Amino acid sequence: MSKITAAITAVGGYVPDYVLTNQELEKLVETTDEWITTRTGIKERRILKGEGKGTSELCVPVALEICRKRGITPEEIDLLIVATVTPDMVFPATANVVTDKIGAKNAFGFDIGAACSGFLYALDTGAKFIESGRYKKVMIIGADKMSSIIDYTDRATCIIFGDGAGGVLLEPNTEGLGLLDSVLKSDGHGREFLNMKAGGSAKPATAETVAAREHYVFQEGKTVFKYAVANMADAARSIMDRNHLTADDIAWLVPHQANLRIISATADHMGVPSEKVMVNIQRYGNTTAGTIPLCLWDWESKLKKGDNLVLAAFGGGFTWGACYVKWAYNGNGSVK
């Protein structure tokens, strides 16, 4: 019997309509378009507006697009994993909310919270359910409504983050396509440099924590930058070495969209030229768990069956990793 791997058979994505430009941010904090662009590569980001709209609102159109592209109904989904640090509520899981909203009556679901590495963690987790042989259709969505936890008086963070979601469908494959290897890491020491201080069980919400603005993202930029460059590059390099891949073998590097300089440093370390690196940070900013699947969504038409992709990410707390994916279908959407 041939080994079962988890192949990506469809991709979906969604970003809200509202565009928050650098020029608009100039009116909120002391910054300029030039300062933001030269340091991050970001020109604009999308923001989800509307009372009561949470991360599930970003996920629903992604899930429905994936079903439409693959020609399946939501009832055929066995499992939905949502990677997010901005769930609709502490509980129930956003994945459960999404399954209800799309009518995925036969699916169970749960969330994974690993910040910007969340999609990779969820992808690897979902792949294991496929490889077990018991599950045939597993949907993975990375989504974050970062605007809900960003302080728009804090120049260090408000220029970086946006809202968005992307996802994939995983199905069994016996041709050697799909997720072939992963390197996933974490180091809780990093929690002091990138976190949200209040709102958890260690420091529940009070009037004092709200007044102290402790329910927003805190980031010590220089330290995070240093760790991100080193660890994203090391994880990606490990994937290449373990699978005997050269830069010539890699069709695309799919990096987390945190900062254009981090992306460039990772590509340089791997020896991958810029024309083989997916970059859309200029349009969406950092959508946390949404960045990597949004890249796949944007580049889907250019992907070919058998392409070697290296996905790499670094996130708060710290989390990081890389995945080796052999693409399973041509960009016209045909899955053989």
Side-chain angles (χ1 to χ4, degrees):
M1 181 177 177
S2 300
K3 179 183 177 181
I4 297 173
T5 55
I8 294 173
T9 58
V11 179
Y14 175 77
V15 290
D17 293 333
Y18 186 88
V19 179
L20 177 59
T21 64
N22 290 347
Q23 287 74 21
E24 190 171 347
L25 285 172
E26 290 177 352
K27 302 172 185 176
L28 300 177
V29 292
E30 186 179 341
T31 191
T32 65
D33 171 60
E34 181 186 14
W35 193 92
I36 297 170
T37 303
T38 55
R39 284 162 178 78
T40 69
I42 301 168
K43 298 296 287 186
E44 57 189 40
R45 64 291 291 148
R46 302 298 185 94
I47 304 296
L48 180 63
K49 298 279 190 176
E51 189 72 26
K53 291 187 176 182
T55 295
S56 66
E57 293 288 321
L58 301 169
C59 296
V60 167
V62 174
L64 294 177
E65 180 185 6
I66 289 171
C67 288
R68 177 182 57 79
K69 283 182 173 178
R70 191 67 181 106
I72 65 172
T73 64
E75 289 89 344
E76 294 177 69
I77 301 168
D78 298 315
L79 165 62
L80 171 65
I81 305 175
V82 173
T84 186
V85 291
T86 56
D88 283 22
M89 297 171 272
V90 173
F91 69 90
T94 300
N96 292 354
V97 177
V98 176
T99 57
D100 177 58
K101 287 184 174 182
I102 67 173
K105 300 181 184 302
N106 298 309
F108 73 103
F110 57 88
D111 294 354
I112 285 182
C116 300
S117 306
F119 180 77
L120 296 190
Y121 278 37
L123 183 69
D124 192 62
T125 301
K128 297 299 185 286
F129 283 90
I130 293 291
E131 291 166 10
S132 75
R134 290 181 57 191
Y135 302 89
K136 306 302 180 186
K137 290 178 173 58
V138 174
M139 189 175 289
I140 311 296
I141 297 178
D144 274 296
K145 184 187 175 183
M146 293 304 294
S147 62
S148 67
I149 58 171
I150 293 300
D151 181 354
Y152 285 93
T153 67
D154 177 15
R155 184 178 68 172
T157 56
C158 74
I159 65 170
I160 298 170
F161 294 96
D163 303 338
V168 300
L169 183 68
L170 298 177
E171 295 186 76
N173 184 278
T174 55
E175 299 178 77
L177 303 171
L179 180 62
L180 302 185
D181 195 12
S182 62
V183 172
L184 302 175
K185 302 284 187 178
S186 64
D187 180 1
H189 171 71
R191 67 188 180 278
E192 66 178 284
F193 306 112
L194 183 49
N195 61 49
M196 189 170 76
K197 290 180 170 54
S201 59
K203 198 170 189 180
T206 64
E208 289 74 24
T209 64
V210 172
R213 309 184 77 81
E214 292 182 335
H215 295 266
Y216 295 118
V217 172
F218 164 79
Q219 176 171 282
E220 188 176 295
K222 289 182 179 179
T223 303
V224 173
F225 181 89
K226 180 180 70 175
Y227 275 91
V229 168
N231 289 316
M232 256 180 77
D234 285 350
R237 190 74 240 181
S238 294
I239 281 287
M240 292 175 67
D241 293 343
R242 279 174 25 168
N243 294 277
H244 310 291
L245 296 169
T246 68
D248 291 338
D249 297 322
I250 296 171
W252 296 98
L253 168 63
V254 191
H256 168 55
Q257 308 289 299
N259 180 298
L260 189 57
R261 292 184 293 171
I262 295 173
I263 293 170
S264 298
T266 302
D268 288 345
H269 189 75
M270 297 170 64
V272 175
S274 59
E275 61 268 20
K276 294 165 71 172
V277 182
M278 296 186 187
V279 178
N280 58 16
I281 191 172
Q282 70 278 9
R283 291 189 290 134
Y284 306 140
N286 181 350
T287 56
T288 306
T291 67
I292 288 176
L294 278 172
C295 280
L296 296 176
W297 181 58
D298 274 350
W299 267 262
E300 184 186 19
S301 64
K302 298 182 180 180
L303 298 174
K304 299 179 179 62
K305 185 175 181 179
D307 277 354
N308 292 318
L309 277 60
V310 173
L311 286 52
F314 181 88
F318 291 130
T319 61
W320 69 95
C323 292
Y324 170 31
V325 172
K326 190 174 282 287
W327 200 250
Y329 63 98
N330 293 318
N332 59 11
S334 61
V335 182
K336 302 299 183 184

